[in-house]
Amino acid sequence: MLKVTNLHASVDGKEILKGITLEVKPGEVHAIMGPNGSGKSTLSNVIAGRDGYEVTAGSVEYLGKDLLELEAEERACEGIFLAFQYPVEIPGVSNMAMLKAAMNSIRKYHGQDEIKAGDFLKLIRQKADLVEMKHEFLKRAVNEGFSGGEKKRNEILQMAMLEPKLALLDETDSGLDIDALKIVSHGVNALRSPERSMVLVTHYQRLLDYIVPDYVHVLANGQIVKSGDKSLALELEAKGYSWIEGIDDNQTTAAQAS
Amino acid sequence: MITANENQSWVNAHAGVALPGADVAWLNEQRAAALAQFEKVGLPGVRDEDWRYTNLRALKSNDYALNSASVLNVELAETTNPRLVFVDGHLDVAASTGLSDSVTSLKDSLAIVEGAFGSTLPIEPHGFTALNTAYAHDGYVVNLTPNQVLDGVLEVVFVSQSANAVSHTRNIIIAQANTQCTIIERHIGAQGSVYLNNIITEIVAGDNAHIDHYKIQQESDDAFHMGGVFINQASNSQVKNHNIALSGLVTRNDIYCNLLGPGAHMEMNGLVVGKGRQHIDNHTEVNHAVPNCTSDEYYKTVLDDHSRSVFRGRIIVAQDAQLTNADQQNNNLLLSKNAEADCKPQLEIYADDVKCSHGATVGQLDPTSLFYLKSRGINAESANALLTFAFANEVIERIKVDRVREELTQILAGELLSGLEELI
C-alpha cells in the first residue's frame, strides 16, 4: 500500500528526514515512536502533502502511484487521511458543511454522484455515536471552542466519515485524559479492517495499550533506528529512548524534558 | 483639481428641477447654506485627507441629470415585508406597500421632519453631503411616537434604473422615546448602468429607542454610491447599523454617530466584498460625548482582483465621557496581490477612566486552515471559497433578526460560494 524509500525532506533548508524506508501493507497498523524533534510529524505531513516540506531525495509510492506528484487534496481523494496533532479551528464553517464538502469532493474525484442529504445525515449521526459525540457538535463550527479531547474525537469522526485506505494519526493521544483516550481508541479500532492501513505517530506507549500495532518503529534524528513488534514499545516504555543506538544525548534530554 | 467651473457645472445640472417645499422657510435656509458650503468646498479630491485614497475622476468625468419622477420598470423579488420602492430617488407609490401615518415620503412630511432634518449632519459637510441637502428631493420618513413599535421589518428598495441619473435622497428616522423598528435599505441598479446615488439617512434615536438599520448595497458594477448615515442617540438608546457593500464601482459611506445621552449603545457592523476594480470607502465616527456609553464596531473586508478599500474608524471620547467602553475591529482579507486595503483607526481620547480597544489586520487566508480542508479532499478552489465565506459571514452572524441574517447569508453564499451554496 505505502512504500517509502530513502526519503529525505527538509524544512526551511534544514534536513529533518534523513533517509526513511518503510513499507506498510494493507490492513497493517504501524506505530512510529521517537523522541521530540525526531521527525515523526514531518513524516506524516510529507505523506499528507503539506506545503513547506521539501523532499530532497527518495520516493513515496502509494497504491502503485508516485505519491509525491499529487496535491494534498488528490492524496485525500486517493484515500489518505491525516488526523492532525493540533486540529485546526475553522470559525464560520460547520462540521457538517466541511464533511459534506469533503465527501462530495472525494465522490466527484471518483466520478460518483453527490451523496443524498438524507443519507449524509444518517451516516454522520451514526459515526458521531461511534466517537460518543453529541449531535449538536455537528452543527458547530469546525473545532471552534472544542476541548482537546473533543477535537481529537472530531478527527476520528472525520476519518470514520471519509473511510480512508491509509490513515495517519499524528500524536492523536496527546492531550487526552484516559476516558477520551479510550473513546478515541475505540473509534480507531472500529475502523481497523483488512483493507485499511494505519500509521500511528506517538511519543508514548500508552496509546498502544489500546490500539495494538503490528509493527513498531523507532525514529531518531530523521531515521528509523529500530523496528520490531509491539514488544518494542513496551521495552521503550521501560527503558526510555536512550538505550537505542543512534539516539544522541540531546534528543534523550529533550524527550525526558517533555 | 476642483475648479469653480466644475462646481458650477454641478449646480447647473440641477437647475430648473422643482424641489419639494419651495415655500418652506427652514428648508430653504438649509438649502441655501448647503449650496454655499458646496460652492466653498466643491466635490472632494485626493488632496483632501479623507479622500486621498479615493479617485473620483471617473465619477466627475460623467454628466448626470436629476429626474423629476420615474416609474419602476424592473421586477423585484417578492417579499412578505412591507416595502417602499424608490426609483431614481423618487417614491413609486404604486409599487410600494407599507405607507402609513408612521411611514411616509419626505415630500409629504416636511412638517414632521422640521427640526430633525439636518440635525445629525457634521458641521462642515463635504461636497456630496452639501449637495444632498441642497437638492434633497425625496426619501423615506419613519416617525415613531413614544412607545410605538413598528412591527416586523420595513424594507426600502432604491432602484437606479435610468442611466446617468443622479439622486439626492434624504431619509429620516425619528424614533421617539421607547420605540422600536427594523429597517432594511437595499440599493440596486441596472447592471452596466452608470449613475450616481447620493443618499443620506438621518437617525434621531430618542430615550430608550431601539433601531436596527441595515444597508445592503448591490449597485450596478459601474455605479457611484455616495452614502451617509448620521445618527444622534439619546439616553439608553440602542442603534445597530449594518453596512453591507457588495457592488458598485466607487462606494463611499460616512457613518457618524453621536452618543448624546448616558447609557446609549451603538453597534456598527460592516462587510465589504470587493472585486474587479471596485473601490469601497467606509468612514466611521463614533463620538462619545457623555459618560457611560458603549460602542462596538466590527468591520471586515474581502478584496479580490484589483479592488481597493479604505476604512477610517474614528472614535472620539470627550473629556466628560467617563466610563466609556468602545471597541473597534477591522479585519481585511486580501485574495489577490493587486488588491489594496488601507485602514486608519483614529482614537481621540480625552477622558481618563475609559476602556477603548481597537485592532486592525490585513492578511491572506491561513495556510494551515487551507491545508486542513485540502487534507480532507476539498479542492483548493473550494477550500479558498469556504474560508473566505467563513471570514465574511462572521459579520452576518452578528445580525440578530433571523430572517435578515438568513437572507444575507444566502446573498453572501451567492457571491463567494459559487457551487457550494447547498453547504450553508
Side-chain angles (χ1 to χ4, degrees):
Chain A
M1 168 151 318
L2 179 74
K3 206 170 171 182
V4 180
T5 312
N6 189 32
L7 183 67
H8 290 250
S10 4
V11 178
D12 296 331
K14 185 171 180 264
E15 188 168 56
I16 310 284
L17 300 183
K18 300 171 182 172
I20 302 264
T21 297
L22 174 71
E23 183 166 6
V24 180
K25 297 205 172 80
E28 290 179 353
V29 174
H30 290 240
I32 296 186
M33 302 184 69
N36 288 342
S38 57
K40 302 188 302 285
S41 287
T42 300
L43 178 62
S44 38
N45 281 316
V46 168
I47 295 172
R50 189 175 197 147
D51 287 339
Y53 296 86
E54 194 193 351
V55 174
T56 50
S59 65
V60 181
E61 195 184 299
Y62 169 74
L63 295 174
K65 291 187 176 119
D66 179 358
L67 189 69
L68 301 177
E69 285 295 304
L70 301 180
E71 297 290 333
E73 60 267 33
E74 292 171 320
R75 298 182 197 196
C77 291
E78 290 285 352
I80 289 180
F81 180 88
L82 171 64
F84 280 50
Q85 180 178 5
Y86 303 109
V88 182
E89 294 192 12
I90 307 191
V93 179
S94 76
N95 249 338
M96 298 230 300
M98 184 186 78
L99 274 170
K100 202 169 173 197
M103 283 192 84
N104 283 335
S105 184
I106 294 170
R107 290 169 78 99
K108 193 175 167 193
Y109 181 87
H110 294 290
Q112 297 165 333
D113 289 340
E114 293 193 348
I115 187 166
K116 290 195 184 85
D119 294 345
F120 174 81
L121 212 57
K122 210 170 135 188
L123 190 67
I124 196 168
R125 285 181 178 152
Q126 186 193 333
K127 303 296 187 188
D129 292 342
L130 174 73
V131 294
E132 299 181 30
M133 183 184 280
K134 286 190 189 127
H135 291 180
E136 71 215 38
F137 275 69
L138 302 174
K139 290 185 185 159
R140 283 175 49 179
V142 177
N143 292 325
E144 193 184 33
F146 285 30
S147 71
E150 286 162 351
K151 284 180 182 173
K152 295 298 173 83
R153 276 193 266 165
N154 203 22
E155 294 294 286
I156 306 307
L157 166 71
Q158 293 172 24
M159 175 173 146
M161 287 295 285
L162 302 180
E163 301 190 318
K165 295 192 180 83
L166 172 66
L168 310 162
L169 286 81
D170 189 4
E171 307 265 5
T172 295
D173 52 331
S174 69
L176 292 188
D177 62 28
I178 197 71
D179 292 331
L181 183 66
K182 282 179 182 170
I183 294 168
V184 164
S185 305
H186 172 71
V188 173
N189 285 326
L191 295 168
R192 284 180 83 155
S193 88
E195 294 81 37
R196 180 170 296 131
S197 309
M198 296 187 189
V199 175
L200 314 174
V201 169
T202 180
H203 189 97
Y204 300 104
Q205 191 269 342
R206 186 176 71 150
L207 176 70
L208 308 182
D209 287 340
Y210 298 95
I211 308 171
V212 180
D214 300 305
Y215 299 95
V216 174
H217 311 277
V218 180
L219 191 62
N221 196 24
Q223 290 182 314
I224 290 176
V225 293
K226 201 166 179 63
S227 295
D229 62 13
K230 63 187 176 188
S231 63
L232 177 58
L234 295 168
E235 214 167 344
L236 282 170
E237 178 81 352
K239 300 182 183 171
Y241 285 109
S242 58
W243 63 280
I244 295 175
E245 221 173 301
I247 298 187
D248 59 38
D249 284 346
N250 285 343
Q251 285 195 336
T252 309
T253 315
Q256 282 163 351
S258 63
Chain B
M1 195 177 156
I2 307 295
T3 63
N5 281 345
E6 193 177 271
N7 291 349
Q8 197 52 48
S9 74
W10 279 83
V11 173
N12 291 344
H14 297 83
V17 176
L19 295 169
D23 53 350
V24 177
W26 65 264
L27 187 55
N28 284 332
E29 272 171 39
Q30 288 209 29
R31 282 176 171 153
L35 207 53
Q37 171 73 2
F38 178 73
E39 280 163 0
K40 186 174 119 194
V41 298
L43 287 189
V46 287
R47 288 170 186 222
D48 297 297
E49 176 58 25
D50 277 352
W51 294 80
R52 58 184 283 217
Y53 299 107
T54 310
N55 193 330
L56 294 175
R57 207 181 308 134
L59 182 150
K60 291 176 186 173
S61 68
N62 197 51
D63 291 326
Y64 304 92
L66 180 62
N67 296 342
S68 52
S70 301
V71 172
L72 185 69
N73 66 11
V74 294
E75 204 163 315
L76 300 177
E78 281 188 26
T79 177
T80 52
N81 296 328
R83 176 167 67 189
L84 307 182
V85 179
F86 285 80
V87 181
D88 297 333
H90 299 274
L91 181 69
D92 183 338
V93 175
S96 299
T97 57
L99 288 162
S100 66
D101 289 347
S102 313
V103 179
T104 53
S105 75
L106 180 74
K107 274 195 292 217
D108 299 334
S109 315
L110 293 174
I112 293 170
V113 301
E114 180 179 1
F117 187 104
S119 66
T120 65
L121 265 46
I123 295 164
E124 282 282 331
H126 60 60
F128 289 104
T129 303
L131 279 178
N132 184 287
T133 301
Y135 297 110
H137 45 82
D138 209 352
Y140 69 85
V141 173
V142 171
N143 180 33
L144 302 179
T145 54
N147 305 313
Q148 189 183 350
V149 174
L150 193 65
D151 285 330
V153 174
L154 174 66
E155 273 189 55
V156 188
V157 184
F158 296 90
V159 186
S160 294
Q161 65 183 28
S162 305
N164 302 315
V166 59
S167 52
H168 303 288
T169 318
R170 174 69 62 94
N171 309 307
I172 301 178
I173 301 169
I174 304 167
Q176 298 185 49
N178 307 313
T179 52
Q180 203 175 321
C181 62
T182 300
I183 297 169
I184 303 183
E185 291 180 18
R186 298 175 195 277
H187 299 272
I188 58 175
Q191 203 46 260
S193 177
V194 179
Y195 56 84
L196 169 58
N197 184 3
N198 184 28
I199 181 161
I200 286 174
T201 300
E202 294 193 72
I203 300 177
V204 183
D207 289 349
N208 197 36
H210 285 57
I211 301 170
D212 243 10
H213 178 254
Y214 298 83
K215 179 169 173 179
I216 306 170
Q217 193 268 89
Q218 292 180 291
E219 304 277 19
S220 147
D221 285 341
D222 297 301
F224 302 97
H225 180 102
M226 298 292 129
V229 179
F230 299 106
I231 306 156
N232 281 352
Q233 288 187 237
S235 302
N236 299 313
S237 60
Q238 293 199 17
V239 177
K240 293 179 184 170
N241 173 261
H242 312 262
N243 172 21
I244 317 288
L246 301 172
S247 196
L249 185 62
V250 180
T251 298
R252 159 84 176 213
N253 282 303
D254 291 319
I255 301 179
Y256 285 41
C257 175
N258 295 309
L259 297 169
L260 303 173
H265 175 70
M266 152 47 57
E267 186 175 316
M268 289 185 182
N269 295 314
L271 175 63
V272 169
V273 179
K275 52 189 179 297
R277 294 197 168 271
Q278 271 177 261
H279 180 113
I280 306 104
D281 268 21
N282 283 308
H283 284 234
T284 68
E285 190 168 311
V286 182
N287 178 17
H288 284 264
V290 296
N292 279 306
C293 292
T294 51
S295 63
D296 179 8
E297 192 172 356
Y298 189 75
Y299 264 72
K300 284 195 160 195
T301 304
V302 177
L303 298 177
D304 204 349
D305 306 325
H306 286 79
S307 58
R308 288 188 66 167
S309 75
V310 180
F311 172 79
R312 201 264 338 234
R314 193 165 176 216
I315 297 175
I316 305 162
V317 181
Q319 200 169 355
D320 293 339
Q322 302 295 2
L323 302 174
T324 287
N325 193 336
D327 184 47
Q328 178 192 89
Q329 297 297 324
N330 172 228
N331 303 316
N332 300 277
L333 175 60
L334 302 182
L335 300 175
S336 146
K337 63 178 173 19
N338 298 314
E340 181 178 326
D342 294 290
C343 63
K344 295 200 297 179
Q346 297 177 339
L347 275 67
E348 295 175 27
I349 301 167
Y350 302 103
D352 52 17
D353 187 11
V354 300
K355 197 177 155 201
C356 292
S357 51
H358 74 100
T361 61
V362 180
Q364 284 92 42
L365 291 172
D366 172 35
T368 308
S369 302
L370 278 173
F371 173 62
Y372 193 66
L373 294 179
K374 288 197 273 186
S375 76
R376 270 64 184 133
I378 299 172
N379 67 47
E381 198 185 337
S382 300
N384 277 307
L386 265 178
L387 291 179
T388 303
F389 172 81
F391 173 87
N393 199 42
E394 285 189 289
V395 175
I396 307 299
E397 281 173 356
R398 286 165 66 99
I399 294 172
K400 296 283 187 297
V401 184
D402 289 349
R403 49 199 287 196
V404 178
R405 184 182 61 248
E406 282 157 18
E407 190 210 321
L408 277 167
T409 298
Q410 291 305 322
I411 291 174
L412 195 61
E415 288 281 328
L416 297 174
L417 271 185
S418 113
L420 296 168
E421 291 94 334
E422 89 283 356
L423 292 177
I424 302 311

